[in-house]
Amino acid sequence: MVMTNFKKNDTFEAEVIDLTHEGQGVVKIDQFPFFVDNALPGEQIKMRVLKVGKSYGFGRVDEFLKQSPSRVTSLNLDYLRTGIADFGHLIYPEQLKFKHQQVVELLYKTAHKPNYPVLPVLGATETLRYRNKAQVPVQMVEGQLTTGFYRKHSHQLVSVEDFYIQHPEIDAVILSLRNALRTVHVKAYDEQTRRGWLRHIVVRRGYHTGEMMVTLVATSAQLPQGVDTVLEQLKENFPNIKSIQLNINKSTGSFILGKTFKVLYGKNYIQDTMLGKTFQISAPAFYQVNTAQAERLYQTAYDFANLSQEDIIVDAYSGIGTIGLDLADRVAQVYGMEVIPQAVEDAQHNAKLNHIENAHYEVGTAEAIMPQWLQKGIKPDVIFVDPPRKGLDEQFIKAATATNPRTIVYVSCNPATFARDVLRFEAENYTLDKVQPVDLFPQTHHIELVASFIRN
Ligand code: SAH
């Protein structure tokens, strides 16, 4: 172990030698690493020590002695401080290179595949204002209801009006709502005193349809005085708003949404289209936040599957059915499972909406349902999986591979758990065939990819 005598506020001149996967610059002083916000590889900085731990520390840039040619100098630093755009200071082509390299490294370190030929990242054409969803915390700041984003690793609110990567109409709705709620003196929830009403504003907007859903997350079903008039006004100003909902969250935890939703205006869902099919999306259901890039992601997934009209496919972690329904016309049967009941209802409804009769959905966890399907003798030719960040469950992998599909197509939003699962599939006689990252999250550290495994 390296012994250190570093103290807070010490300063050093140093070169930034690396970038962490979350976008912090890495500086080493006598072998001891410091993580530094807003510092890019190749930059020469005067670093001030903020904090020293046992094996690493944190520093900040006091002064740039030399800046990287890959730096975006015009970035408002609040986007880095809040993590809204934690790679926003790096030019876009370099973001894509970095993401590619991350996937290559994880496949090497975790899945023992040196120099795996990961395909070049499919970059976005819209690298700003692409998000179709916002979840914005609300706090009282200097006595005023304020919307914005938390500083990284804290619940300290930074006021933000232009969210940079969200669709501008979403920003406009949030701003208009904030201003109107100020005039009727609505109080934001305070985590310390546990007083106040409004916790979050969630807005979703269909990329192709423009339909919007606004959800107020609050501590009680009782609307404070004036809120009904505010909402009346809001839907008049934004005729694209098709749904306004109240979500009740009385908890002290950090989950944004509570269990109960109440429709205040319109429907309990909005619609959007993906690859020409129509989808209803209800408030608790997952929907990819970057529609244009998600369409390319799904298209790649279908290309990897080499489908034929006789194929039976499984769409595991199916959400509202986007992956399976977009290709239902091209195969014999689609079986999907998903843990959120409202999302499964959406998927069933979406099948009808698109006149699809060969898609079947069940509510439950993939790890519980896949073994049941194996028992029932369902024999898929291709299994699509699209799990959350924690990746796949071993139980699921065992049951899925036991059904003996020709191909498994894995859509992953976390290359670290994906790389772990590569080893598990290999243990069941499936070989990794292709890995294609698709950039769904420009300006941020998040990485999405689609991969295929072929039966040995
Ligand atoms: N394929 C969909 C959804 C992907 S997101 C799309 O592209 O839109 C991952 C989904 O998995 C979410 O809908 C989440 O609710 C669901 N999920 C999370 N854990 C699960 C589990 N153990 N079993 C089944 N579904 C799960």
Side-chain angles (χ1 to χ4, degrees), residues 190-352:
D190 181 321
E191 286 175 339
Q192 249 77 55
T193 63
R194 301 180 60 188
R195 290 227 185 93
W197 185 71
L198 189 61
R199 300 173 70 127
H200 273 81
I201 298 172
V202 181
V203 183
R204 250 181 182 163
R205 180 182 179 280
Y207 178 79
H208 292 289
T209 60
E211 289 191 4
M212 289 199 283
M213 171 189 283
V214 178
T215 305
L216 302 181
V217 185
T219 52
S220 82
Q222 183 73 43
L223 297 192
Q225 206 163 28
V227 170
D228 45 358
T229 324
V230 164
L231 296 179
E232 201 61 45
Q233 205 69 63
L234 186 75
K235 68 184 203 238
E236 261 164 46
N237 294 344
F238 296 92
N240 277 347
I241 295 178
K242 303 295 176 200
S243 170
I244 302 180
Q245 306 196 38
L246 183 66
N247 176 270
I248 316 295
N249 184 351
K250 296 180 194 284
S251 80
T252 50
S254 58
F255 283 109
I256 293 176
L257 293 176
K259 283 225 160 61
T260 318
F261 285 89
K262 193 176 149 201
V263 176
L264 300 176
Y265 163 73
K267 306 171 294 190
N268 68 348
Y269 62 87
I270 54 167
Q271 285 192 346
D272 197 14
T273 67
M274 279 189 93
L275 297 172
K277 295 275 194 316
T278 305
F279 294 94
Q280 84 167 38
I281 312 154
S282 63
F286 176 90
Y287 188 61
Q288 288 285 9
V289 298
N290 183 341
T291 311
Q293 286 295 91
E295 288 179 308
R296 296 179 77 192
L297 178 80
Y298 295 165
Q299 195 54 61
T300 309
Y302 305 153
D303 292 345
F304 283 4
N306 270 320
L307 295 167
S308 76
Q309 203 67 58
E310 296 76 49
D311 283 344
I312 294 174
I313 68 154
V314 163
D315 177 5
Y317 305 83
S318 51
I320 62 168
T322 42
I323 291 180
L325 294 176
D326 274 327
L327 53 70
D329 303 335
R330 284 181 260 166
V331 297
Q333 299 292 336
V334 177
Y335 293 90
M337 89 286 268
E338 155 68 45
V339 76
I340 295 181
Q342 293 97 324
V344 173
E345 277 171 36
D346 285 345
Q348 283 161 340
H349 185 90
N350 290 333
K352 288 209 188 87

Side-chain angles (χ1 to χ4, degrees), residues 79 122 171 177 191 203 213 219 271 293 341 347 398 432 456:
Y79 297 135
L122 291 179
D171 288 1
L177 197 49
E191 286 175 339
V203 183
M213 171 189 283
T219 52
Q271 285 192 346
Q293 286 295 91
K398 288 232 151 61
L432 184 61
N456 291 351

Side-chain angles (χ1 to χ4, degrees), residues 11-171:
T11 57
F12 299 92
E13 287 186 7
E15 183 177 335
V16 183
I17 54 167
D18 205 354
L19 199 58
T20 68
H21 79 280
E22 288 182 340
Q24 288 188 301
V26 182
V27 163
K28 279 192 179 160
I29 316 279
D30 300 334
Q31 306 302 317
F32 188 85
F34 284 94
F35 299 111
V36 186
D37 278 338
N38 188 25
L40 293 171
E43 293 189 324
Q44 221 41 61
I45 61 169
K46 195 152 147 218
M47 184 199 85
R48 179 177 295 271
V49 174
L50 291 176
K51 205 171 164 183
V52 191
K54 272 219 176 77
S55 49
Y56 57 87
F58 293 96
R60 72 150 204 252
V61 179
D62 257 4
E63 193 187 332
F64 287 104
L65 306 171
K66 187 184 127 217
Q67 286 201 330
S68 165
S70 302
R71 170 173 287 277
V72 174
T73 48
S74 57
L75 186 77
N76 172 346
L77 293 181
D78 277 347
Y79 297 135
L80 290 185
R81 290 184 189 113
T82 53
I84 286 176
D86 49 12
F87 273 85
H89 56 327
L90 188 60
I91 56 173
Y92 192 58
E94 291 298 318
Q95 292 179 24
L96 297 179
K97 269 198 217 158
F98 180 78
K99 290 185 183 186
H100 184 264
Q101 185 191 328
Q102 289 293 301
V103 179
V104 172
E105 269 174 29
L106 282 163
L107 282 173
Y108 171 47
K109 286 189 188 144
T110 309
H112 320 307
K113 297 194 174 309
N115 301 314
Y116 191 84
V118 173
L119 295 162
V121 182
L122 291 179
T125 39
E126 300 164 281
T127 59
L128 297 175
R129 323 218 177 276
Y130 58 84
R131 279 184 66 98
N132 63 24
K133 182 183 180 182
Q135 304 195 106
V136 171
V138 183
Q139 268 180 19
M140 301 308 287
V141 177
E142 288 163 8
Q144 281 207 306
L145 185 135
T146 304
T147 44
F149 226 72
Y150 297 134
R151 247 175 193 274
K152 276 200 270 184
H153 316 297
S154 86
H155 275 195
Q156 186 196 336
L157 195 85
V158 178
S159 171
V160 178
E161 296 185 355
D162 170 356
F163 285 83
Y164 200 54
I165 60 171
Q166 283 166 198
H167 192 280
E169 202 177 2
I170 297 180
D171 288 1

